Amino acid sequence: MKRLKNLHKSDLKIPFIYLLISACWVMFSSYLLPYFTGDLRNLASYEMLKGWIFICVTSTILFLLIRRERLKDEQSNKRISEAEFKFRTLVEESLLGIYILREGRFAYVNSTLLALSGYHSKELLCMHFSDLILPLHEGEEVGLYNNRAELQLQKKDGTLLDVVVLSHKLSVIHNDAPAIMGSILDNTEKRKYQRKLERLAFYDPLTNLANRRMLSNSMNEAMNKARTTNEKLALLFIDLDHFKGINDSIGHDMGDKVLKELADRIVGCIPKSGLVSRYGGDEFTVMLPGLQSAKEAERIAKDLISLFNEPLHIENQKFYITLSIGISIFPDHGKELETLEKNADIAMYFAKEKGRNNSQLFTKSMKVFMVERLHLQHELRKATEDMDNHFFLVYQPKIDVFLNKVIGVEALLRWNHPVSGLISPSRFIPVAEEMGTIGAISNWVINKACRQLKYWNEQGISLTICINISPLLFQQADFVNNILEPISEAGVKPSHIQLEITESVLTNYLDEAIDKLKLLKRNGLTIAIDDFGTGYSSLSVLRKMPIDRLKIDQSFIRDLQKEQDIVALIISMAHKLSMHVTAEGVETVEQCRLLRDLNCREMQGYLFSKPITAVEMEEYLKRRPIAASIQERL
């Protein structure tokens, strides 16, 4: 019965027709035959005649039916063959490496997998899956039934490729035997791109040392471990004595080479368990975990001081550079990273006050050292009460090198102290942020910049003006109004105002910033990230933020020959995110040419102009920013 149930309708068709014809012949032949032949029922050959007629008719009909079915089968087989050919062609020409495994060994591989592996078909069909596909980490096993796994493929020449392996948990039938079917995607370029971004996020591009994000992660892990083992942890804050003077005298290119050599020298003096990071500029930090006492950290600091008493030899030049080192100890001088950094910084400044070229362990009495900062705070507070007589703005042009045209200017704040003279923003801005007067100073800058823009517009000068915004301002409830009101009062177009924020906003103030920036952008302002590349903003955060422009930090531009791949990566990433790119700190024609070749059209730097006053800017705008002599060299 089971077999009868499994019969297809087409299998019963011919027997059914034969049965129907036979039944009709038996029932009606005796009546039909005499009509054509007459009354032959008494003849002996009557029955034989009936039989032969029946055989001839049914044979003819069966022949036609069988031929018809055979033609149908041939057409069906042809369609199956065509479909199988298309499927095989699709598999063979697929961008994926497709395979079939039987008992863990390759039973079929397509041409893409052969090209990917470098093996011939006969070689690969003799191999086990685990001979070709390796785990990412030593000691792990490669499962044949992983639905999706990131693994490595070892080519015939030994080269390792990053691949994504997709396999089916359900087995298939291949040559009448159970097998496993899967595919392999070459993921090498994507992984390289990810590793570049990860390195950009965790390492300083100039020195290849850890950056502040890596330091923060490592310090938090080390402090958690130290809490359970009751060990001590040291943080060394290192500043290069008088490095700015060296940098100014020998140029940034040579200065960067000196920084790299200094970084290597510091690393060579630190235990393997330690971590050296570049904190920024000419400042470095060293984390020393697993200490029993502060004396161990002091000894390492003294070794560093002694090591740097030996000159550096770079390109037939000698450089004598000394260190000022501040030391803080966990948990004696703080139980949080921020506190340890602050106290190590205080100790470092105290080392400078002691004549430099020495190290100091933080003590509570060092807080007296902050008297100078308090004095600066006092002077700054007086200055904010009469800002028009203490502060002024200078402007640095932003150039479209393709059009040889000034497309905007960046407004930069300066403080002219009646006794001390010009005080660097890098010195008083952090103090203003700490004092809480940064809001008043920023409001003055925005008002002044908008009024200047309005005046230029009335003179027929159309350009955008860029204004730097302190990250702390995003915590203020009236931040958006403080930006929009001066623009409205001055009567300038919001689209001519660009706000520049640092990457720290994307990490430390993201929740406060994102809604406020979106509101500003809806009101017509443009948003730029300043000094991009020195922080650790992620792609996911960049996509969330309403960013219009990335400004590549000048540290990448100074060593553009070696950092060209990273700069190209930033430019490509920005363009894919529909952002404009501005290169900062362009000082040479060669840098300009390389950046232009990388499709970066907007640039700032001393090659075009230093920051100048508004009056000087009006004169500057009357001529082409890139001189003909420079254009010839581009």
Side-chain angles (χ1 to χ4, degrees):
M1 290 297 294
K2 275 187 177 179
R3 295 183 64 184
L4 286 175
K5 286 181 181 179
N6 292 332
L7 287 173
H8 196 270
K9 288 183 180 180
S10 62
D11 297 333
L12 298 173
K13 184 163 61 176
I14 294 177
F16 177 76
I17 293 173
Y18 185 80
L19 178 63
L20 183 62
I21 294 172
S22 300
C24 291
W25 180 259
V26 171
M27 292 174 64
F28 302 109
S29 63
S30 298
Y31 300 101
L32 295 174
L33 198 59
Y35 180 80
F36 296 102
T37 61
D39 190 7
L40 297 177
R41 276 178 282 187
N42 296 325
L43 296 177
S45 60
Y46 178 73
E47 293 299 327
M48 182 178 292
L49 179 62
K50 286 173 60 178
W52 278 110
I53 292 173
F54 175 75
I55 290 170
C56 291
V57 171
T58 56
S59 296
T60 302
I61 293 172
L62 286 174
F63 170 76
L64 294 174
L65 289 172
I66 292 171
R67 185 171 181 274
R68 181 185 175 190
E69 291 302 315
R70 181 176 295 173
L71 289 173
K72 285 185 176 180
D73 289 342
E74 288 177 354
Q75 291 175 350
S76 177
N77 290 335
K78 183 178 180 181
R79 286 194 294 269
I80 292 172
S81 297
E82 289 176 351
E84 183 178 354
F85 174 77
K86 291 178 180 178
F87 177 74
R88 285 183 175 275
T89 303
L90 182 64
V91 170
E92 283 297 323
E93 296 182 0
S94 172
L95 296 177
L96 298 174
I98 299 175
Y99 62 85
I100 294 177
L101 299 176
R102 200 161 54 207
E103 296 181 353
R105 295 187 175 275
F106 291 102
Y108 167 80
V109 290
N110 70 347
S111 57
T112 303
L113 185 53
L114 291 174
L116 202 62
S117 65
Y119 287 98
H120 296 296
S121 177
K122 291 182 180 179
E123 296 173 318
L124 202 54
L125 292 177
C126 295
M127 292 174 61
H128 193 275
F129 184 75
S130 60
D131 294 333
L132 182 69
I133 306 299
L134 309 177
L136 286 176
H137 306 289
E138 190 175 348
E140 293 181 356
E141 293 185 1
V142 175
L144 301 181
Y145 296 94
N146 292 330
N147 188 33
R148 185 184 187 282
E150 292 191 5
L151 303 167
Q152 287 187 314
L153 182 149
Q154 186 173 35
K155 298 181 66 172
K156 184 177 180 180
D157 62 6
T159 305
L160 293 176
L161 300 179
D162 292 306
V163 294
V164 176
V165 178
L166 304 169
S167 58
H168 300 285
K169 293 183 179 179
L170 297 176
S171 62
V172 297
I173 301 301
H174 178 70
N175 292 339
D176 299 325
I180 300 170
M181 185 174 183
S183 58
I184 296 175
L185 173 65
D186 185 1
N187 200 38
T188 305
E189 290 303 316
K190 182 180 178 181
R191 286 290 298 153
K192 283 182 181 178
Y193 183 77
Q194 289 175 339
R195 280 192 283 265
K196 281 185 178 180
L197 289 180
E198 288 169 3
R199 185 152 194 89
L200 193 61
F202 288 98
Y203 291 89
D204 172 60
L206 176 64
T207 61
N208 290 323
L209 296 178
N211 63 10
R212 294 175 70 171
R213 185 183 187 185
M214 175 72 85
L215 172 69
S216 177
N217 292 346
S218 301
M219 281 290 292
N220 287 326
E221 290 178 8
M223 285 189 292
N224 289 334
K225 183 179 179 181
R227 288 186 183 100
T228 60
T229 60
N230 292 322
E231 293 178 325
K232 294 184 183 295
L233 170 70
L235 179 65
L236 276 60
F237 224 98
I238 302 173
D239 186 82
L240 308 180
D241 298 330
H242 303 298
F243 184 76
K244 185 179 183 302
I246 295 176
N247 215 19
D248 292 341
S249 62
I250 64 175
H252 291 297
D253 289 342
M254 183 62 75
D256 287 345
K257 292 178 182 179
V258 173
L259 276 177
K260 292 177 185 178
E261 186 68 28
L262 291 170
D264 292 340
R265 187 174 282 196
I266 293 172
V267 171
C269 192
I270 301 302
K272 290 184 178 180
S273 59
L275 176 72
V276 182
S277 65
R278 187 184 180 196
Y279 202 75
D282 59 351
E283 293 181 331
F284 298 85
T285 57
V286 176
M287 180 191 74
L288 298 172
L291 303 182
Q292 298 301 317
S293 69
K295 289 184 178 180
E296 295 178 58
E298 290 182 285
R299 178 184 57 77
I300 292 174
K302 288 180 180 178
D303 290 343
L304 276 170
I305 298 294
S306 300
L307 181 64
F308 274 78
N309 286 330
E310 296 295 324
L312 292 173
H313 297 274
I314 301 175
E315 295 186 2
N316 299 321
Q317 295 188 56
K318 285 185 180 181
F319 297 95
Y320 291 89
I321 298 173
T322 58
L323 308 180
S324 294
I325 304 176
I327 308 168
S328 63
I329 305 295
F330 171 87
D332 303 350
H333 303 144
K335 297 182 180 180
E336 303 295 334
L337 175 59
E338 185 179 356
T339 305
L340 290 171
E341 287 180 330
K342 182 178 179 180
N343 290 338
D345 191 31
I346 291 173
M348 183 268 291
Y349 276 107
F350 194 77
K352 286 185 175 295
E353 286 296 305
K354 288 286 186 179
R356 296 181 170 83
N357 194 27
N358 72 95
S359 62
Q360 296 292 324
L361 180 67
F362 174 79
T363 62
K364 292 182 179 179
S365 62
M366 284 184 181
K367 296 212 172 164
V368 178
F369 176 70
M370 302 308 295
V371 170
E372 181 182 350
R373 175 160 289 196
L374 291 173
H375 175 70
L376 184 61
Q377 290 177 354
H378 176 70
E379 294 298 308
L380 185 58
R381 195 175 302 278
K382 289 196 301 183
T384 55
E385 294 173 357
D386 186 16
M387 286 190 277
D388 286 335
N389 289 323
H390 286 81
F391 297 112
F392 66 98
L393 294 182
V394 291
Y395 304 89
Q396 186 171 35
K398 181 170 62 177
I399 313 300
D400 185 325
V401 295
F402 289 0
L403 300 177
N404 193 9
K405 177 183 178 182
V406 177
I407 57 174
V409 296
E410 181 178 0
L412 300 168
L413 180 62
R414 297 292 185 261
W415 180 12
N416 188 15
H417 191 275
V419 176
S420 304
L422 287 176
I423 299 177
S424 170
S426 62
R427 184 180 172 195
F428 70 83
I429 290 296
V431 177
E433 290 177 334
E434 186 179 307
M435 291 170 57
T437 58
I438 189 64
I441 294 174
S442 295
N443 290 340
W444 182 88
V445 170
I446 295 170
N447 274 282
K448 196 78 172 177
C450 289
R451 289 198 300 269
Q452 182 62 57
L453 181 60
K454 175 66 173 176
Y455 174 77
W456 280 337
N457 288 343
E458 291 173 348
Q459 301 302 311
I461 300 172
S462 179
L463 42 72
T464 61
I465 193 164
C466 310
I467 303 171
N468 293 285
I469 300 298
S470 169
L472 294 179
L473 297 181
F474 287 95
Q475 296 179 307
Q476 298 179 354
D478 56 352
F479 168 70
V480 174
N481 287 333
N482 289 339
I483 298 292
L484 295 178
E485 284 181 7
I487 297 173
S488 177
E489 290 174 1
V492 296
K493 294 180 180 179
S495 59
H496 289 175
I497 304 294
Q498 176 176 293
L499 300 183
E500 298 189 357
I501 62 176
T502 60
E503 285 186 89
S504 62
V505 171
L506 306 184
T507 52
N508 300 331
Y509 305 95
L510 182 61
D511 294 336
E512 296 92 338
I514 190 165
D515 292 333
K516 294 175 180 178
L517 288 177
K518 284 183 177 179
L519 181 56
L520 290 171
K521 188 172 175 62
R522 283 197 295 270
N523 278 275
L525 283 78
T526 58
I527 312 296
I529 296 182
D530 198 14
D531 301 331
F532 183 78
T534 57
Y536 38 86
S537 54
S538 66
L539 281 175
S540 61
V541 171
L542 282 177
R543 293 179 66 183
K544 290 179 184 177
M545 296 290 285
I547 304 300
D548 301 290
R549 177 175 276 98
L550 299 181
K551 298 188 71 175
I552 304 174
D553 185 68
Q554 59 183 347
S555 61
F556 293 95
I557 309 304
R558 288 172 190 164
D559 200 8
L560 188 56
Q561 289 281 1
K562 295 186 178 179
E563 304 297 345
Q564 190 169 343
D565 289 342
I566 293 178
V567 172
L569 182 65
I570 293 174
I571 294 171
S572 174
M573 177 189 67
H575 289 165
K576 287 180 180 179
L577 293 174
S578 299
M579 297 179 186
H580 296 281
V581 183
T582 303
E584 298 182 296
V586 179
E587 298 182 350
T588 67
V589 175
E590 179 65 16
Q591 291 170 349
C592 181
R593 185 185 63 78
L594 286 175
L595 287 165
R596 187 195 59 183
D597 292 344
L598 294 175
N599 201 25
C600 178
R601 66 185 302 155
E602 298 178 10
M603 303 181 198
Q604 276 181 258
Y606 276 34
L607 175 64
F608 312 106
S609 173
K610 65 179 182 179
I612 53 181
T613 65
V615 174
E616 291 171 326
M617 179 58 69
E618 292 167 18
E619 290 298 319
Y620 180 84
L621 293 171
K622 293 178 182 178
R623 60 181 185 272
R624 306 281 282 178
I626 305 176
S629 59
I630 296 177
Q631 279 189 312
E632 291 176 359
R633 297 163 60 191
L634 292 177

